[in-house]
Amino acid sequence: MGISERKERQRAELREQILRVARDMVVKEGFSALSMRKLAEAVEYAPATLYLHFENREAIARELCVRGFGELLGALEPGSAVAEPLERLSVMGAAYVRFGLEHPETYRLIFMEDPRLSTELFQGDSDGAGPRAFGLLARVFEDLKSGGRLAAEADPGRLAEALWAGLHGIVSLKLTCAAFQTSAEELRETLTETLVHGLPGLKPAAR
């Protein structure tokens, strides 16, 4: 290995170390605790060294969120291969909830710390992991509509947002208030069934 290759490898290793320590810091203390000075102390390098790898604190926080959304996308992608839309909806919904509960630190990082970061990633590059993850859910409803199984006026994007809101609610509820007795999977099944079929046994209001 030449000198230039060795230096590049060392640079990449230090960058990963910075991100790893930053993630641990955010998970334990929140984004507000993240600062270049504290991070430099933790990795035992001068602050100026950190600026060779990241422009500022926000750049580090953004990279952490980008990676978190990538992990979420990776969790949803296997289910997106299911051909039947309603079965796909169930499989991906279960994968979403499972991801949030099995990786609470990552989930909190991308959705429950600094809303500016997740908002930026969703409004930015449409090829980013966040928009792509949403696109997988939206495609379920697009396929239902194109197959004549939804009303012509149905909005696949809005339905996908409603589904995501419900799934996020289940995960955040379980992460912040474990006292609710119904399991996350049972809640997810009820959410999906209600979204698809409506309230069970609902009768018209008496007149």
Side-chain angles (χ1 to χ4, degrees), residues 163-175:
L163 173 64
W164 192 306
L167 296 173
H168 171 68
I170 292 171
V171 174
S172 58
L173 180 67
K174 287 297 181 179
L175 292 182

Side-chain angles (χ1 to χ4, degrees), residues 102-122:
E102 291 181 356
H103 306 279
E105 296 88 356
T106 298
Y107 195 87
R108 289 177 185 272
L109 193 65
I110 60 178
F111 285 122
M112 303 172 71
E113 280 290 346
D114 189 337
R116 294 173 301 174
L117 292 169
S118 55
T119 298
E120 176 189 346
L121 293 178
F122 267 93

Side-chain angles (χ1 to χ4, degrees), residues 101 169-184 187:
L101 298 183
I170 292 171
V171 174
S172 58
L173 180 67
K174 287 297 181 179
L175 292 182
T176 59
C177 187
F180 280 79
Q181 296 182 356
T182 306
S183 71
L187 289 174

Side-chain angles (χ1 to χ4, degrees), residues 49-132:
T49 302
L50 271 62
Y51 285 103
L52 296 175
H53 297 268
F54 297 97
E55 180 181 0
N56 49 34
R57 166 192 179 278
E58 286 67 31
I60 295 175
R62 188 180 190 282
E63 179 63 23
L64 292 176
C65 281
V66 167
R67 293 189 176 201
F69 275 117
E71 293 175 28
L72 173 60
L73 176 63
L76 296 179
E77 282 180 326
S80 68
V82 176
E84 205 289 311
L86 291 184
E87 182 183 353
R88 193 190 324 152
L89 176 69
S90 179
V91 171
M92 286 200 296
Y96 183 105
V97 172
R98 186 166 55 250
F99 173 83
L101 298 183
E102 291 181 356
H103 306 279
E105 296 88 356
T106 298
Y107 195 87
R108 289 177 185 272
L109 193 65
I110 60 178
F111 285 122
M112 303 172 71
E113 280 290 346
D114 189 337
R116 294 173 301 174
L117 292 169
S118 55
T119 298
E120 176 189 346
L121 293 178
F122 267 93
Q123 290 180 339
D125 184 8
S126 61
D127 291 329
R132 287 169 60 196

Side-chain angles (χ1 to χ4, degrees), residues 185-201:
E185 180 57 18
E186 289 175 315
L187 289 174
R188 198 274 311 165
E189 289 178 353
T190 300
L191 171 69
T192 304
E193 285 294 314
T194 303
L195 179 64
V196 174
H197 301 296
L199 294 174

